[in-house]
Amino acid sequence: MPLPKDTMFFGFRDKLTPEQRIYVDSIFDNRITFVNAKSGTGKTTLAVAAAKLIGKPLVYVFSPVEEGRMGFRPGTQREKEAAYITPLTDALAEIGETPEKAIFNPEDFAAMKRGDHWVYPMSHIFARGINIKDKTVVISEAQNFTRGELKKLLTRCHDSCTVVVEGSTIQCDLPDESKSGFSPYIDHFRNEPYANVCELTVNFRGQLAQKADELAW
């Protein structure tokens, strides 16, 4: 079923562009949605909003692609992750959620007892061997995942999951862009009856960001 008719979708419903509406409906309609999106198109905010309505815990997966070039960050795992989940925390704030309350914190026993946590960020590094069931899974900046890394993640997901693979084919940060798994997996799933591929092309940050995103090489 598409976006339920009885919800204002956190105030976004009447503001959605046709592309965004197709994207949101796809998340509700399909087991897996790929979105090839320019910067500033709302891809993460809309995915997180959809996850909240779907009602399953949200697993937000990121790739620490910069670690090798910048040097490994000091601190706890949670402190290291903070630099990579800014899109997630921004999206939660956009839908009226308090990130510190919604995002799992193993040290906040009171929040766990109250059941406040429904968002679980993780690096793909820790995905080997896990089973992901009855979750909404958002794979962020998927162009920065290699074929092997995306395979590792997607093969963890049971059919009870709703999966969103979001990325941009023109903003890859891998040292060798040809190793990205984003485009190959789009093509691999494109004709499956439970999958859909969407595009978001309007950058809402403004003319400067939109123009910068048009240059590809």
Side-chain angles (χ1 to χ4, degrees), residues 154-183:
L154 294 174
T155 55
R156 305 300 110 195
C157 297
H158 287 248
D159 284 352
S160 58
C161 291
T162 299
V163 182
V164 181
V165 185
E166 54 171 54
S168 170
T169 54
I170 61 173
Q171 288 208 358
C172 183
D173 296 317
L174 292 173
D176 183 352
E177 294 183 13
S178 68
K179 293 184 178 180
S180 173
F182 185 48
S183 289

mmCIF file of all heavy atoms in Angstrom, residues 154-183:
data_model
loop_
_atom_site.group_PDB
_atom_site.id
_atom_site.type_symbol
_atom_site.label_atom_id
_atom_site.label_comp_id
_atom_site.label_asym_id
_atom_site.label_seq_id
_atom_site.Cartn_x
_atom_site.Cartn_y
_atom_site.Cartn_z
ATOM 1 N N LEU A 154 22.874 -6.618 2.402
ATOM 2 C CA LEU A 154 21.583 -7.038 1.858
ATOM 3 C C LEU A 154 21.302 -8.514 2.129
ATOM 4 O O LEU A 154 20.141 -8.907 2.270
ATOM 5 C CB LEU A 154 21.521 -6.736 0.363
ATOM 6 C CG LEU A 154 21.531 -5.241 0.017
ATOM 7 C CD1 LEU A 154 21.614 -5.032 -1.492
ATOM 8 C CD2 LEU A 154 20.299 -4.530 0.583
ATOM 9 N N THR A 155 22.344 -9.314 2.230
ATOM 10 C CA THR A 155 22.127 -10.728 2.538
ATOM 11 C C THR A 155 21.846 -10.960 4.021
ATOM 12 O O THR A 155 21.529 -12.085 4.418
ATOM 13 C CB THR A 155 23.335 -11.585 2.106
ATOM 14 O OG1 THR A 155 24.531 -11.070 2.702
ATOM 15 C CG2 THR A 155 23.481 -11.594 0.596
ATOM 16 N N ARG A 156 21.937 -9.921 4.836
ATOM 17 C CA ARG A 156 21.551 -10.023 6.255
ATOM 18 C C ARG A 156 20.051 -9.791 6.445
ATOM 19 O O ARG A 156 19.498 -10.101 7.495
ATOM 20 C CB ARG A 156 22.268 -8.968 7.111
ATOM 21 C CG ARG A 156 23.772 -8.910 7.060
ATOM 22 C CD ARG A 156 24.429 -10.178 7.499
ATOM 23 N NE ARG A 156 25.041 -10.826 6.361
ATOM 24 C CZ ARG A 156 25.455 -12.085 6.333
ATOM 25 N NH1 ARG A 156 25.290 -12.858 7.377
ATOM 26 N NH2 ARG A 156 26.012 -12.590 5.270
ATOM 27 N N CYS A 157 19.392 -9.180 5.448
ATOM 28 C CA CYS A 157 18.014 -8.699 5.609
ATOM 29 C C CYS A 157 16.998 -9.780 5.245
ATOM 30 O O CYS A 157 17.024 -10.318 4.131
ATOM 31 C CB CYS A 157 17.776 -7.467 4.732
ATOM 32 S SG CYS A 157 18.804 -6.046 5.160
ATOM 33 N N HIS A 158 16.107 -10.070 6.173
ATOM 34 C CA HIS A 158 15.015 -11.005 5.918
ATOM 35 C C HIS A 158 13.895 -10.309 5.137
ATOM 36 O O HIS A 158 13.832 -9.082 5.061
ATOM 37 C CB HIS A 158 14.466 -11.541 7.238
ATOM 38 C CG HIS A 158 15.380 -12.520 7.903
ATOM 39 N ND1 HIS A 158 15.072 -13.858 8.042
ATOM 40 C CD2 HIS A 158 16.605 -12.366 8.465
ATOM 41 C CE1 HIS A 158 16.056 -14.479 8.666
ATOM 42 N NE2 HIS A 158 17.000 -13.600 8.935
ATOM 43 N N ASP A 159 12.987 -11.114 4.598
ATOM 44 C CA ASP A 159 11.872 -10.560 3.826
ATOM 45 C C ASP A 159 10.908 -9.754 4.681
ATOM 46 O O ASP A 159 10.047 -9.045 4.148
ATOM 47 C CB ASP A 159 11.108 -11.686 3.122
ATOM 48 C CG ASP A 159 11.844 -12.210 1.896
ATOM 49 O OD1 ASP A 159 12.866 -11.605 1.518
ATOM 50 O OD2 ASP A 159 11.397 -13.222 1.325
ATOM 51 N N SER A 160 11.027 -9.842 5.991
ATOM 52 C CA SER A 160 10.177 -9.050 6.879
ATOM 53 C C SER A 160 10.660 -7.607 7.006
ATOM 54 O O SER A 160 10.011 -6.789 7.658
ATOM 55 C CB SER A 160 10.133 -9.690 8.270
ATOM 56 O OG SER A 160 11.445 -9.796 8.818
ATOM 57 N N CYS A 161 11.780 -7.292 6.372
ATOM 58 C CA CYS A 161 12.347 -5.944 6.436
ATOM 59 C C CYS A 161 11.823 -5.064 5.306
ATOM 60 O O CYS A 161 11.425 -5.545 4.243
ATOM 61 C CB CYS A 161 13.875 -5.996 6.339
ATOM 62 S SG CYS A 161 14.690 -6.714 7.778
ATOM 63 N N THR A 162 11.836 -3.773 5.555
ATOM 64 C CA THR A 162 11.650 -2.760 4.516
ATOM 65 C C THR A 162 12.997 -2.079 4.342
ATOM 66 O O THR A 162 13.530 -1.507 5.293
ATOM 67 C CB THR A 162 10.590 -1.726 4.932
ATOM 68 O OG1 THR A 162 9.340 -2.390 5.140
ATOM 69 C CG2 THR A 162 10.431 -0.659 3.857
ATOM 70 N N VAL A 163 13.555 -2.154 3.138
ATOM 71 C CA VAL A 163 14.922 -1.684 2.910
ATOM 72 C C VAL A 163 14.917 -0.489 1.959
ATOM 73 O O VAL A 163 14.247 -0.508 0.920
ATOM 74 C CB VAL A 163 15.803 -2.811 2.327
ATOM 75 C CG1 VAL A 163 17.241 -2.327 2.136
ATOM 76 C CG2 VAL A 163 15.774 -4.038 3.239
ATOM 77 N N VAL A 164 15.664 0.542 2.330
ATOM 78 C CA VAL A 164 15.861 1.709 1.472
ATOM 79 C C VAL A 164 17.361 1.861 1.238
ATOM 80 O O VAL A 164 18.135 1.979 2.197
ATOM 81 C CB VAL A 164 15.302 2.996 2.103
ATOM 82 C CG1 VAL A 164 15.508 4.185 1.164
ATOM 83 C CG2 VAL A 164 13.827 2.833 2.451
ATOM 84 N N VAL A 165 17.760 1.846 -0.025
ATOM 85 C CA VAL A 165 19.165 2.010 -0.388
ATOM 86 C C VAL A 165 19.290 3.359 -1.080
ATOM 87 O O VAL A 165 18.844 3.529 -2.213
ATOM 88 C CB VAL A 165 19.646 0.875 -1.315
ATOM 89 C CG1 VAL A 165 21.141 1.005 -1.582
ATOM 90 C CG2 VAL A 165 19.328 -0.488 -0.708
ATOM 91 N N GLU A 166 19.871 4.321 -0.386
ATOM 92 C CA GLU A 166 19.916 5.681 -0.914
ATOM 93 C C GLU A 166 21.345 6.093 -1.228
ATOM 94 O O GLU A 166 22.275 5.797 -0.480
ATOM 95 C CB GLU A 166 19.290 6.658 0.082
ATOM 96 C CG GLU A 166 19.873 6.596 1.481
ATOM 97 C CD GLU A 166 19.380 7.719 2.365
ATOM 98 O OE1 GLU A 166 18.167 7.881 2.479
ATOM 99 O OE2 GLU A 166 20.229 8.421 2.938
ATOM 100 N N GLY A 167 21.495 6.764 -2.353
ATOM 101 C CA GLY A 167 22.826 7.206 -2.730
ATOM 102 C C GLY A 167 22.774 8.113 -3.942
ATOM 103 O O GLY A 167 21.707 8.513 -4.407
ATOM 104 N N SER A 168 23.958 8.429 -4.445
ATOM 105 C CA SER A 168 24.085 9.276 -5.633
ATOM 106 C C SER A 168 25.233 8.747 -6.476
ATOM 107 O O SER A 168 26.358 8.624 -5.984
ATOM 108 C CB SER A 168 24.363 10.730 -5.238
ATOM 109 O OG SER A 168 24.707 11.497 -6.374
ATOM 110 N N THR A 169 24.953 8.468 -7.718
ATOM 111 C CA THR A 169 25.991 7.923 -8.593
ATOM 112 C C THR A 169 27.045 8.959 -8.963
ATOM 113 O O THR A 169 28.088 8.603 -9.510
ATOM 114 C CB THR A 169 25.364 7.363 -9.886
ATOM 115 O OG1 THR A 169 24.553 8.375 -10.494
ATOM 116 C CG2 THR A 169 24.511 6.141 -9.586
ATOM 117 N N ILE A 170 26.801 10.231 -8.659
ATOM 118 C CA ILE A 170 27.770 11.274 -9.028
ATOM 119 C C ILE A 170 28.501 11.846 -7.817
ATOM 120 O O ILE A 170 29.195 12.853 -7.931
ATOM 121 C CB ILE A 170 27.102 12.413 -9.825
ATOM 122 C CG1 ILE A 170 26.002 13.095 -9.007
ATOM 123 C CG2 ILE A 170 26.551 11.895 -11.134
ATOM 124 C CD1 ILE A 170 25.417 14.329 -9.688
ATOM 125 N N GLN A 171 28.370 11.194 -6.650
ATOM 126 C CA GLN A 171 29.076 11.694 -5.468
ATOM 127 C C GLN A 171 29.743 10.557 -4.698
ATOM 128 O O GLN A 171 29.581 10.419 -3.492
ATOM 129 C CB GLN A 171 28.117 12.456 -4.548
ATOM 130 C CG GLN A 171 27.692 13.793 -5.105
ATOM 131 C CD GLN A 171 27.355 14.805 -4.025
ATOM 132 O OE1 GLN A 171 27.401 14.522 -2.840
ATOM 133 N NE2 GLN A 171 27.015 16.005 -4.436
ATOM 134 N N CYS A 172 30.510 9.761 -5.406
ATOM 135 C CA CYS A 172 31.182 8.622 -4.779
ATOM 136 C C CYS A 172 32.498 9.070 -4.145
ATOM 137 O O CYS A 172 33.292 9.778 -4.764
ATOM 138 C CB CYS A 172 31.447 7.534 -5.821
ATOM 139 S SG CYS A 172 32.190 6.047 -5.129
ATOM 140 N N ASP A 173 32.737 8.641 -2.902
ATOM 141 C CA ASP A 173 33.957 8.999 -2.177
ATOM 142 C C ASP A 173 34.966 7.855 -2.105
ATOM 143 O O ASP A 173 36.005 7.995 -1.455
ATOM 144 C CB ASP A 173 33.609 9.440 -0.746
ATOM 145 C CG ASP A 173 32.760 10.701 -0.718
ATOM 146 O OD1 ASP A 173 33.064 11.622 -1.491
ATOM 147 O OD2 ASP A 173 31.797 10.753 0.063
ATOM 148 N N LEU A 174 34.661 6.735 -2.745
ATOM 149 C CA LEU A 174 35.613 5.630 -2.744
ATOM 150 C C LEU A 174 36.853 6.007 -3.557
ATOM 151 O O LEU A 174 36.742 6.690 -4.578
ATOM 152 C CB LEU A 174 34.976 4.379 -3.348
ATOM 153 C CG LEU A 174 33.841 3.724 -2.553
ATOM 154 C CD1 LEU A 174 33.212 2.601 -3.368
ATOM 155 C CD2 LEU A 174 34.338 3.204 -1.220
ATOM 156 N N PRO A 175 38.031 5.578 -3.137
ATOM 157 C CA PRO A 175 39.243 5.871 -3.916
ATOM 158 C C PRO A 175 39.141 5.380 -5.356
ATOM 159 O O PRO A 175 39.640 6.023 -6.278
ATOM 160 C CB PRO A 175 40.338 5.127 -3.142
ATOM 161 C CG PRO A 175 39.816 5.024 -1.746
ATOM 162 C CD PRO A 175 38.332 4.870 -1.886
ATOM 163 N N ASP A 176 38.478 4.243 -5.558
ATOM 164 C CA ASP A 176 38.242 3.704 -6.894
ATOM 165 C C ASP A 176 36.730 3.599 -7.086
ATOM 166 O O ASP A 176 36.088 2.678 -6.586
ATOM 167 C CB ASP A 176 38.900 2.330 -7.034
ATOM 168 C CG ASP A 176 38.745 1.747 -8.436
ATOM 169 O OD1 ASP A 176 38.008 2.333 -9.253
ATOM 170 O OD2 ASP A 176 39.357 0.693 -8.699
ATOM 171 N N GLU A 177 36.154 4.562 -7.810
ATOM 172 C CA GLU A 177 34.703 4.620 -7.960
ATOM 173 C C GLU A 177 34.136 3.391 -8.663
ATOM 174 O O GLU A 177 32.964 3.049 -8.477
ATOM 175 C CB GLU A 177 34.310 5.887 -8.726
ATOM 176 C CG GLU A 177 34.620 7.171 -7.979
ATOM 177 C CD GLU A 177 34.153 8.413 -8.719
ATOM 178 O OE1 GLU A 177 33.371 8.263 -9.691
ATOM 179 O OE2 GLU A 177 34.562 9.521 -8.336
ATOM 180 N N SER A 178 34.953 2.721 -9.459
ATOM 181 C CA SER A 178 34.468 1.548 -10.186
ATOM 182 C C SER A 178 34.123 0.389 -9.249
ATOM 183 O O SER A 178 33.447 -0.557 -9.653
ATOM 184 C CB SER A 178 35.508 1.085 -11.209
ATOM 185 O OG SER A 178 36.665 0.567 -10.565
ATOM 186 N N LYS A 179 34.576 0.474 -7.998
ATOM 187 C CA LYS A 179 34.291 -0.592 -7.036
ATOM 188 C C LYS A 179 32.970 -0.388 -6.302
ATOM 189 O O LYS A 179 32.553 -1.244 -5.519
ATOM 190 C CB LYS A 179 35.436 -0.701 -6.026
ATOM 191 C CG LYS A 179 36.736 -1.188 -6.641
ATOM 192 C CD LYS A 179 37.818 -1.389 -5.590
ATOM 193 C CE LYS A 179 39.092 -1.936 -6.223
ATOM 194 N NZ LYS A 179 40.162 -2.143 -5.214
ATOM 195 N N SER A 180 32.306 0.739 -6.542
ATOM 196 C CA SER A 180 31.025 0.991 -5.876
ATOM 197 C C SER A 180 30.003 -0.066 -6.277
ATOM 198 O O SER A 180 29.884 -0.435 -7.447
ATOM 199 C CB SER A 180 30.499 2.378 -6.250
ATOM 200 O OG SER A 180 29.184 2.564 -5.747
ATOM 201 N N GLY A 181 29.230 -0.508 -5.300
ATOM 202 C CA GLY A 181 28.192 -1.497 -5.576
ATOM 203 C C GLY A 181 26.825 -0.901 -5.837
ATOM 204 O O GLY A 181 25.879 -1.636 -6.143
ATOM 205 N N PHE A 182 26.697 0.419 -5.739
ATOM 206 C CA PHE A 182 25.382 1.053 -5.830
ATOM 207 C C PHE A 182 24.736 0.833 -7.198
ATOM 208 O O PHE A 182 23.637 0.269 -7.299
ATOM 209 C CB PHE A 182 25.518 2.543 -5.515
ATOM 210 C CG PHE A 182 24.220 3.298 -5.455
ATOM 211 C CD1 PHE A 182 23.143 2.823 -4.724
ATOM 212 C CD2 PHE A 182 24.082 4.515 -6.120
ATOM 213 C CE1 PHE A 182 21.943 3.524 -4.655
ATOM 214 C CE2 PHE A 182 22.893 5.228 -6.055
ATOM 215 C CZ PHE A 182 21.823 4.735 -5.329
ATOM 216 N N SER A 183 25.399 1.247 -8.260
ATOM 217 C CA SER A 183 24.824 1.070 -9.602
ATOM 218 C C SER A 183 24.635 -0.399 -9.973
ATOM 219 O O SER A 183 23.577 -0.769 -10.503
ATOM 220 C CB SER A 183 25.696 1.772 -10.648
ATOM 221 O OG SER A 183 25.588 3.172 -10.526
#
